Amino acid sequence: MVTMKEIAHQAGVSVSTVSLVLNNRDEGRVRGAVARHVRDIAAQLGYKSNPLASSLRTGRTHMLGFISEDVATTPYAGGIILGAQRAARRFGYMLIVVSTDGEESETAEIAALKRYGADGFLYAKMSNRITHAPSALTGMPLVLVDATDADGKIPSVESDEFRIGYDATKRLIDAGCERIAYVGCSEPLIAQAERLRGYQAALGDDGRKFDRRLTIDVLNNDPALAAVDRLFNMERPDGFFCFNDARAWYVYECAARRGLTVGRDISVVGVDNHRVFAETLAPTLTTVELPHFEMGYWAVTKLVSMLEDRPLDNIDWPRTTAPMPRLDSPTPAKIHCTLVEKHSVRQ
Amino acid sequence: MVTMKEIAHQAGVSVSTVSLVLNNRDEGRVRGAVARHVRDIAAQLGYKSNPLASSLRTGRTHMLGFISEDVATTPYAGGIILGAQRAARRFGYMLIVVSTDGEESETAEIAALKRYGADGFLYAKMSNRITHAPSALTGMPLVLVDATDADGKIPSVESDEFRIGYDATKRLIDAGCERIAYVGCSEPLIAQAERLRGYQAALGDDGRKFDRRLTIDVLNNDPALAAVDRLFNMERPDGFFCFNDARAWYVYECAARRGLTVGRDISVVGVDNHRVFAETLAPTLTTVELPHFEMGYWAVTKLVSMLEDRPLDNIDWPRTTAPMPRLDSPTPAKIHCTLVEKHSVRQ
DNA sequence: TTGTACGCGTTATCAA
DNA sequence: TTGATAACGCGTACAA
């Protein structure tokens, strides 16, 4: 690794001058010609700053700790991490992801991150919940991801679940569905409440009345199949908005048993949680994608703005990485194509 | 953060003495009483070494770079990462995960890891392939994860795909299946070839003849469903070994259309790639779990042994984190319960 | 047995 | 406009 000392030697100046120039603090302090010369030599030698050494002096490592439980078991964690990493790289930071497993390992991992001098932290849940941040993080620069601070003090990035529910339902309405069911989640998640609100709002805006019998809340297990089966029998829905793609499978199973074909006889929209369903059930399942990448990206952006005390205004929003909507599959009245949508995040 | 200097001050000795003691280099160099005193003070003050500062001196950061493409899109990446992180923590290392997206970002991330002084690298694929490690990593301490070095020079950790195929098929034989089909993968993966070998070997060991017509290779897309449908019509299999759980879905769909129930009329075993299927299709789908956690753990262990030049012999194998086999579901002749198995890794 | 002195790469201060 | 010099926290050769 080439050091400032070598550059100074080559350029015939002192290390301090090199430091000033390479940190762009040379305006009015170093003669232009000298600065240019130093920069040339640095480029020529392929100089890269040693962030660890400078951290010794500045107290900033440019490392960000990303802490989350269940990174191992939730497939969509990767999207958040990728977004966070992109933003980190963009602002010259290194993202350090640690997955925790219970409070003990959480404490241990946070301690390790602190020893390595992380400048700030991201604390991510894998679905929006009211959250108490670990006490070890109080007082540190911190942003929550897909989580809501219990005390409302910590900035967080969350997805707009209401809009997800609204758009999904609207899509079914536009497809001509008459009886639209909601296959929800029986866990007390913010997403559940908000998506249901969105579902109701979309129905209301279309002049329809909300019918409680068309909604069921299930877990992702065996009884879910029976519940969906009952829903088929009792209510004969022709459109299904599913809390996630895994739950959509139950609809597929029940439909197949009745000789119904999704995309022709009934329509299904599911929130894409696992990606593989979108692939497997394509092109008949319409999926609404959660803004995982964006949440990660935006959270890091927010954290950096806190660390560096600069506003976010002039930061341009990242381009979406999701594929564009695909509308090229056969489209009779009620056939849904595979369609991926992004939703905005609110700060 | 409490430093050696403060400890030296409190203990009334010099910093070098503190350094000697806390690095366990005090045998025959520091008086026992003094050493004990220093240790006491350090413990009392809660001293933690600053790994970045010591790296400046020693050239070792105790940071390991974990590089992988598609961390974002493959759900099982988390298992590997978790195992790797556990091992890293155990040996006093910090794992830095970076997900790459094409060669350009790969190069950029590797460069960043080098600037931060990573001591060694893990290069992971999300399914075993013949792999050329990035040229930027040649000469660095490196271990491949779920990948095979094209030149056979770089150590790697891979799962035993043959055994997976063998065991999955054996399970179907034991369940009394007469006509066992293999729904494979049409991509040229090592797993595909090896699992097929295992399938054939298990059939052979049971005195059966391999019948090519009972095997199909498909992708995870629409034509797959048609292919499985044909398989049902032509061969009437009563047992299905599926390359992964996503492919198993096609079998479920075809079965449902025919009024067949998995676990009663037919049996299905799938390799667990996405976890959510195991949950959704339980308890009728039998899944064979890949040793993701172990591969990560073992790879880091190997890497550390290379870095520290010590043998692996006295390292005890990590306890599995997988749930124990569940055999408590109803078990008539052909019903498969949800069963999670670990497979050994070979170095 | 202990302490002094130096170096790792960088940045900040201050004097020239 | 520039360059010594000290300092960050730690490790180690060498002197005491």
Side-chain angles (χ1 to χ4, degrees):
Chain A
M1 285 289 94
V2 38
T3 69
M4 281 191 176
K5 195 199 261 182
E6 299 176 43
I7 296 173
H9 185 74
Q10 287 262 339
V13 297
S14 77
V15 179
S16 333
T17 304
V18 175
S19 175
L20 280 177
V21 171
L22 296 185
N23 288 312
N24 296 315
R25 304 197 164 286
D26 56 320
E27 268 183 279
R29 311 196 55 190
V30 177
R31 196 146 36 91
V34 175
R36 227 168 306 121
H37 188 210
V38 168
R39 270 185 253 270
D40 284 351
I41 305 248
Q44 180 189 321
L45 264 49
Y47 171 80
K48 299 288 178 192
S49 81
N50 179 335
L52 269 37
S54 63
S55 83
L56 201 56
R57 191 62 237 220
T58 61
R60 325 218 81 177
T61 56
H62 278 218
M63 300 197 297
L64 304 177
F66 182 104
I67 301 151
S68 184
E69 214 169 7
D70 306 321
V71 166
T73 50
T74 54
Y76 31 97
I80 298 181
I81 291 170
L82 188 62
Q85 191 189 293
R86 283 282 174 78
R89 174 70 50 248
R90 173 172 176 201
F91 296 121
Y93 284 75
M94 182 69 134
L95 190 75
I96 303 191
V97 179
V98 299
S99 50
T100 62
D101 176 20
E103 217 170 318
E104 190 188 1
S105 78
E106 184 175 273
T107 311
E109 294 297 337
I110 292 175
L113 283 170
K114 281 186 174 174
R115 295 208 296 144
Y116 275 86
D119 291 339
F121 297 87
L122 300 142
Y123 189 70
K125 289 286 179 193
M126 286 309 144
S127 62
N128 197 345
R129 294 160 189 268
I130 303 292
T131 303
H132 290 274
S135 58
L137 292 181
T138 50
M140 316 247 64
L142 174 64
V143 172
L144 303 185
V145 187
D146 210 0
T148 304
D149 180 32
D151 305 327
K153 305 282 286 182
I154 306 169
S156 63
V157 174
E158 308 158 38
S159 67
D160 188 342
E161 302 290 350
F162 174 83
R163 194 178 144 192
I164 286 172
Y166 190 97
D167 285 2
T169 308
K170 184 75 166 48
R171 181 126 341 155
L172 289 164
I173 292 171
D174 292 345
C177 297
E178 300 288 342
R179 298 182 58 71
I180 300 175
Y182 173 52
V183 181
C185 173
S186 47
E187 286 177 279
L189 299 175
I190 292 175
Q192 162 65 15
E194 290 292 295
R195 287 179 199 171
L196 181 59
R197 274 213 315 122
Y199 165 80
Q200 291 172 312
L203 290 178
D205 287 357
D206 193 56
R208 307 189 187 195
K209 259 190 66 186
F210 168 66
D211 184 349
R212 218 192 168 301
R213 288 168 302 182
L214 274 167
T215 73
I216 56 171
D217 294 335
V218 296
L219 291 175
N220 198 26
N221 57 10
D222 214 29
L225 185 59
V228 174
D229 208 64
R230 274 196 304 278
L231 182 65
F232 261 91
N233 285 339
M234 309 284 283
E235 304 297 334
R236 312 252 163 218
D238 60 352
F240 294 84
F241 164 37
C242 301
F243 182 79
N244 61 22
D245 45 16
R247 281 172 176 79
W249 180 81
Y250 299 114
V251 176
Y252 273 77
E253 175 78 11
C254 291
R257 288 183 184 176
R258 286 166 174 74
L260 300 173
T261 300
V262 177
R264 190 186 64 204
D265 309 308
I266 61 171
S267 300
V268 182
V269 172
V271 178
D272 179 16
N273 264 187
H274 301 91
R275 179 49 59 99
V276 63
F277 280 98
E279 206 182 316
T280 309
L281 304 182
T284 58
L285 175 70
T286 299
T287 57
V288 177
E289 191 175 319
L290 288 162
H292 290 128
F293 181 94
E294 283 76 4
M295 284 196 285
Y297 194 101
W298 191 241
V300 163
T301 304
K302 171 69 179 169
L303 182 57
V304 169
S305 86
M306 288 161 61
L307 291 172
E308 304 190 348
D309 244 350
R310 52 162 156 144
L312 292 170
D313 302 335
N314 56 349
I315 290 174
D316 56 313
W317 192 251
R319 282 181 220 297
T320 173
T321 55
M324 282 294 101
R326 285 213 328 243
L327 288 160
D328 53 348
S329 26
T331 47
K334 289 209 205 168
I335 292 205
H336 290 289
C337 53
T338 306
L339 176 61
V340 177
E341 267 203 352
K342 286 290 167 179
H343 282 79
S344 64
V345 281
R346 63 163 185 255
Q347 192 186 325
Chain B
M1 285 289 92
V2 37
T3 68
M4 283 192 177
K5 193 198 262 183
E6 297 176 45
I7 296 174
H9 185 73
Q10 287 261 339
V13 296
S14 78
V15 179
S16 21
T17 304
V18 175
S19 175
L20 281 177
V21 171
L22 296 184
N23 288 314
N24 297 314
R25 304 200 164 284
D26 56 321
E27 268 182 277
R29 312 197 54 190
V30 178
R31 196 146 35 93
V34 176
R36 226 169 305 121
H37 188 212
V38 168
R39 269 184 254 269
D40 284 350
I41 306 247
Q44 180 189 320
L45 263 50
Y47 171 80
K48 299 286 179 192
S49 81
N50 179 334
L52 268 38
S54 62
S55 82
L56 206 53
R57 196 55 242 213
T58 62
R60 326 218 79 177
T61 55
H62 278 219
M63 301 197 297
L64 304 177
F66 182 104
I67 301 150
S68 183
E69 213 169 7
D70 305 322
V71 166
T73 50
T74 53
Y76 32 98
I80 298 180
I81 291 169
L82 190 62
Q85 192 190 292
R86 284 281 175 77
R89 175 70 50 249
R90 173 170 177 203
F91 297 120
Y93 283 75
M94 184 70 135
L95 190 76
I96 303 191
V97 180
V98 300
S99 50
T100 62
D101 177 19
E103 217 170 318
E104 189 187 0
S105 78
E106 184 174 271
T107 310
E109 294 297 337
I110 291 175
L113 283 170
K114 281 187 174 174
R115 294 206 297 144
Y116 274 87
D119 292 338
F121 296 87
L122 298 141
Y123 189 70
K125 289 288 179 190
M126 286 310 145
S127 61
N128 197 345
R129 293 160 190 266
I130 303 291
T131 303
H132 290 274
S135 57
L137 293 181
T138 49
M140 316 247 64
L142 173 63
V143 172
L144 303 184
V145 187
D146 210 1
T148 305
D149 179 34
D151 304 327
K153 305 282 286 179
I154 306 169
S156 63
V157 175
E158 309 159 37
S159 68
D160 188 341
E161 303 291 351
F162 174 83
R163 195 178 144 192
I164 286 172
Y166 190 97
D167 285 3
T169 308
K170 185 75 166 48
R171 180 125 341 152
L172 290 164
I173 292 172
D174 292 345
C177 297
E178 299 289 339
R179 297 182 58 72
I180 302 175
Y182 174 51
V183 181
C185 173
S186 47
E187 285 178 279
L189 300 175
I190 291 175
Q192 162 64 15
E194 290 292 296
R195 287 178 199 171
L196 181 59
R197 273 213 316 125
Y199 165 79
Q200 292 172 311
L203 291 179
D205 287 356
D206 193 54
R208 307 188 187 196
K209 259 190 68 187
F210 167 67
D211 183 351
R212 218 189 168 302
R213 287 167 303 182
L214 275 166
T215 73
I216 54 172
D217 295 335
V218 297
L219 290 176
N220 199 26
N221 57 11
D222 212 31
L225 185 59
V228 173
D229 208 65
R230 273 196 305 277
L231 182 65
F232 262 90
N233 285 341
M234 309 284 283
E235 305 296 333
R236 311 254 163 218
D238 60 352
F240 293 83
F241 164 37
C242 302
F243 183 79
N244 61 21
D245 46 14
R247 281 173 176 80
W249 180 82
Y250 299 114
V251 176
Y252 272 77
E253 175 78 10
C254 290
R257 288 182 183 176
R258 287 167 173 75
L260 300 174
T261 300
V262 176
R264 191 186 64 202
D265 308 308
I266 60 170
S267 300
V268 182
V269 173
V271 178
D272 179 15
N273 265 184
H274 302 90
R275 179 51 58 100
V276 64
F277 279 100
E279 204 181 317
T280 309
L281 305 183
T284 57
L285 176 68
T286 298
T287 57
V288 177
E289 192 176 318
L290 288 162
H292 290 128
F293 180 93
E294 284 76 5
M295 283 196 285
Y297 194 99
W298 190 240
V300 164
T301 304
K302 171 69 179 168
L303 182 56
V304 170
S305 85
M306 287 161 59
L307 291 172
E308 304 189 348
D309 243 349
R310 51 162 157 143
L312 293 169
D313 303 334
N314 55 348
I315 291 174
D316 56 313
W317 191 250
R319 282 181 220 297
T320 172
T321 54
M324 283 294 99
R326 284 209 332 240
L327 288 161
D328 54 347
S329 24
T331 48
K334 289 210 208 169
I335 292 206
H336 290 288
C337 53
T338 304
L339 178 59
V340 176
E341 268 202 353
K342 285 290 170 179
H343 283 80
S344 63
V345 280
R346 61 163 188 253
Q347 194 185 323

